[in-house]
Amino acid sequence: ASDLIVDGDALAIEAVPFSGGKGTEKEPYLISEPGHLATMANQINGGTTDKHYKLAANISLAGKIWIPAGYNTKHAFTGSFDGDGFTISGLYVDNASLSLGSNAGYGLFGVLGQGASVKNVQVIGANIVAGSNYAGIIAGRASGTSVKIEACYVTGTISTGDGSRYNYLYRGGIIGYGSGASISRCYTN
């Protein structure tokens, strides 16, 4: 089972090989099931942060706990993720189940770094419980003038603490905190 999904076997998402692709811009890794998303997160959180990914089907994460891909600044995602118009539903991130530290971001992606691109994805029915850090449904944090988030739609809830643990609190529907990032044609409900 993936070491990025926690709280027991019933909630684990088993990482499985991608259904295709090479991780390049021209041939991105294809993601068509939850296990492929877990493999993506494993790669990014393991230090391979610059690959390219594309959804090839709608994916439900209902009943699972997700650890964000690129969960902190050390492992910030710098590649591309193209949702190709597909939907990820039931995204659930629970800070109480994780111990990611003070630079952690909570969302589908934790931290988007210089050069990252996320586009054409819908994340529906998300529930982000983030304590006192950065929290957004697409990403908790996006830092860098070349970070681009475009044509995304998100719904869900984000709950955070009072900011006293780390003395800050950033949250938003698309991203929790952005510094220089470009967001276009995105909306939340």
Side-chain angles (χ1 to χ4, degrees):
S2 167
D3 63 342
L4 298 176
I5 308 302
V6 296
D7 260 6
D9 292 333
L11 298 176
I13 299 173
E14 183 177 345
V16 298
F18 294 110
S19 57
K22 297 180 179 176
T24 64
E25 282 187 71
K26 291 185 186 237
E27 293 184 65
Y29 288 124
L30 299 178
I31 297 172
S32 57
E33 64 176 270
H36 298 151
L37 273 178
T39 300
M40 177 189 80
N42 280 344
Q43 284 185 342
I44 296 166
N45 292 333
T48 304
T49 63
D50 62 351
K51 297 298 180 186
H52 304 274
Y53 306 90
K54 186 174 186 177
L55 283 183
N58 294 325
I59 295 178
S60 173
L61 298 175
K64 310 296 183 190
I65 296 176
W66 179 253
I67 290 184
Y71 64 88
N72 65 18
T73 53
K74 179 180 175 186
H75 299 97
F77 177 57
T78 59
S80 69
F81 183 89
D82 182 355
D84 202 26
F86 290 106
T87 298
I88 297 171
S89 60
L91 176 71
Y92 176 52
V93 180
D94 181 11
N95 179 57
S97 299
L98 309 171
S99 180
L100 301 180
S102 64
N103 288 318
Y106 294 86
L108 178 62
F109 294 92
V111 180
L112 298 175
Q114 194 71 13
S117 169
V118 177
K119 65 181 182 178
N120 303 323
V121 66
Q122 300 177 71
V123 182
I124 307 298
N127 183 9
I128 312 295
V129 181
S132 300
N133 289 329
Y134 305 92
I137 294 173
I138 296 292
R141 190 171 173 180
S143 300
T145 55
S146 64
V147 173
K148 293 184 179 167
I149 302 169
E150 53 190 326
C152 296
Y153 170 67
V154 300
T155 67
T157 59
I158 299 170
S159 27
T160 56
D162 62 6
S164 61
R165 182 170 175 199
Y166 297 115
N167 297 319
Y168 56 85
L169 177 64
Y170 299 99
R171 63 181 171 207
I174 307 291
I175 62 172
Y177 174 82
S179 174
S182 168
I183 301 173
S184 62
R185 300 184 338 264
C186 293
Y187 64 104
T188 183
N189 189 4

